[in-house]
Amino acid sequence: MTNSRFAILSVLFLATSAFVAQFAIEFSSENLAASCIVFASSLSIIGYLAWSRGLENNPLSTFSIFGFCLTTQMGALIAQSIYWTPLIKDLRQPLVTFSVLATAQLIALCTHMTYRLLGDKKDSQSSIARNILKSFNIYQIPSVNVLWILGLIGFVGFIFGYGDGTSTFTKINQGIMFLAWAPYLIPMYILQQGPSYCNKKLHFILLSVYATLIVLLGLAVNARGIMLSGFITVALFALLSTFRSQKKISQSLIIKLLMGAIVLGALSIPLSEVATAMVIARKARGTVSATKMIEDTIYYVQQPSVLQARREKDSTDARTKVYDETYLANPLLARLIETKFHDNTLYFALSLDDRQTNDLSQITIDFIIAILPTPIITLLHLKIDKDNLQFSMGDYITNMSVGTPLGGYKTGSMLAQGLALFGSLFVVLYILICYFMFKIMDLHTFKTNNNHVMVSALGMLAIWKFFQYGLTAESIHHVVSNIFRVFPQNIIIYGLMYFIAVKIVQLFSTNRLHINTPVSR
């Protein structure tokens, strides 16, 4: 059995076990119907991974469909079953929510099959877009020293760019933040390039120190995403690599995987406590020093009664508040599973009347225009003030439906927004969105001289975003922004910083740096 087959069968086993468990957890028609929808949706993507060549030829776009399923449906089924909780618990309209999500996944699957069929008929490796990316060194394999310099540039970006500042300096630093995870790519390149890539022992020690600094930074600014991003990037790429590996699985690897699962399970409890402590400490964010924020978080971690009281309060709020985001018991899993956000926004969006839908249409247009840089908006005399758009689409839809205040940045759902605006015609728009996103994701991969498809460093850095938000987002304007602004912006930033990093390495190196470019001609 290959590593790929073992990984896919393991996912199938988890999904099947979770599905069966729901029959014992709550034997109600609604819970079983929801479980059947999710299980059928899960089987469709598992089958696609197993029987198509998508992972081989189009790894990132194929992986994004699996990510959509895991973060909206299958992950909810598995997580709720592990905690012995009904799948439908705390959802407003589970059958509607899971039906919409399953339908969206089916559309994405069909679009991907068509996209791959059309792509196989032409040489996509010599396109204009790929030649442009090649000129920005996107398909170069970065040396370990270059990765460290990129990481340090991104780390500095975090220090000066984190927050809600609107100055040009802050925006520039926010733009380079994603480079902070570059050193986390070192283990991936060691696996790909072999022990000759770098001194494994030395750089693993340095990476441990760097990861600790990242965790402290996350505690200092009270942001779980910062703490998790590097580790999840590594985990997701390792999973993708396992899905693609045709090597025979060994007994030692199975033992390592089991030990890893046990360790992760054991760590989930203290990490969950840390996440809850960060939520409690968040009330002081922005009013105390970074050191005080770290001290407060550590203090709350050591107060189990306070943590339990917070969890009980969240549970009570879920039953009494007009709006809540309570679904999964583990706050870390809640950071990864998007089911509740889609459920909330679908519930509120589909209850809007015609006047509210017209207002939603206008605010959607405003947000799309606001994607443009401020100087261009001013030059074109567009009547858009970005300061008046300091809220999320989840905020706006909930505000129109039940009157909750704006500015809380509630997570919305592009699918709910699209259905509210276009009804069934949104299917056409979603097909186009999926197609463009597939093209963008696969531009982050390239073929080597032996015709093997590799993921670029920029693709590795973006893998979490592609996995969790590649085929959905908080709003339609976020998707438009990703396609027309974020993607080209990241290309330019990465290319420029890569050039600077190479020059720095050359400056301090006795031998000129040579980096191979394994792109097929």
Side-chain angles (χ1 to χ4, degrees), residues 113-334:
M113 285 187 277
T114 304
Y115 157 78
R116 289 180 53 236
L117 181 64
L118 295 175
D120 287 343
K121 294 181 179 180
K122 57 184 179 180
D123 180 16
S124 59
Q125 294 297 308
S126 58
S127 65
I128 296 175
R130 285 192 174 275
N131 287 331
I132 294 174
L133 267 61
K134 180 182 176 183
S135 68
F136 281 95
N137 294 309
I138 302 303
Y139 303 133
Q140 295 274 13
I141 297 178
S143 72
V144 68
N145 294 327
V146 168
L147 289 178
W148 276 115
I149 294 172
L150 291 175
L152 293 176
I153 292 172
F155 190 85
V156 172
F158 262 122
I159 294 174
F160 292 102
Y162 188 80
D164 300 322
T166 57
S167 68
T168 302
F169 178 73
T170 300
K171 292 296 184 182
I172 290 174
N173 281 287
Q174 289 173 348
I176 64 176
M177 283 181 180
F178 73 95
L179 296 174
W181 318 125
Y184 287 89
L185 307 187
I186 293 173
M188 306 177 194
Y189 279 116
I190 291 175
L191 289 175
Q192 288 185 358
Q193 304 297 311
S196 62
Y197 181 73
C198 68
N199 185 327
K200 179 179 177 181
K201 183 177 181 180
L202 171 62
H203 289 284
F204 271 29
I205 293 173
L206 293 175
L207 185 56
S208 299
V209 175
Y210 184 76
T212 302
L213 291 175
I214 290 288
V215 170
L216 290 174
L217 178 62
L219 291 175
V221 298
N222 198 263
R224 288 174 292 179
I226 293 176
M227 299 168 58
L228 292 173
S229 291
F231 299 107
I232 293 180
T233 296
V234 173
L236 288 178
F237 190 77
L239 177 60
L240 174 59
S241 298
T242 305
F243 274 152
R244 302 182 70 204
S245 175
Q246 297 304 313
K247 294 180 180 179
K248 294 292 184 181
I249 191 166
S250 63
Q251 185 177 0
S252 61
L253 179 59
I254 294 177
I255 294 174
K256 289 178 181 178
L257 290 174
L258 290 175
M259 292 299 296
I262 294 171
V263 170
L264 287 176
L267 287 175
S268 66
I269 297 175
L271 289 176
S272 175
E273 302 287 87
V274 172
T276 304
M278 291 178 69
V279 172
I280 299 173
R282 187 168 297 166
K283 61 181 181 291
R285 183 166 63 181
T287 62
V288 299
S289 66
T291 303
K292 184 67 167 68
M293 183 64 73
I294 295 174
E295 290 176 353
D296 287 350
T297 304
I298 294 174
Y299 169 77
Y300 288 125
V301 169
Q302 302 175 69
Q303 305 297 318
S305 60
V306 176
L307 298 177
Q308 181 60 30
R310 176 66 193 210
R311 284 190 284 266
E312 291 176 357
K313 178 181 181 300
D314 289 341
S315 179
T316 301
D317 288 346
R319 295 190 296 270
T320 58
K321 280 188 174 182
V322 174
Y323 178 89
D324 77 276
E325 296 179 350
T326 302
Y327 183 48
L328 298 176
N330 189 307
L332 289 179
L333 291 176

Side-chain angles (χ1 to χ4, degrees), residues 10 23 50 57 60 62 76 117 130 146 208 212-213 256 278 356 397 414 434 446 448 463 506:
S10 296
F23 282 75
N57 297 329
L60 287 179
T62 305
L117 181 64
R130 285 192 174 275
V146 168
S208 299
T212 302
L213 291 175
K256 289 178 181 178
M278 291 178 69
Q356 291 171 325
I397 291 174
M414 176 195 74
C434 289
F446 60 93
T448 63
I463 194 167
Q506 290 176 349

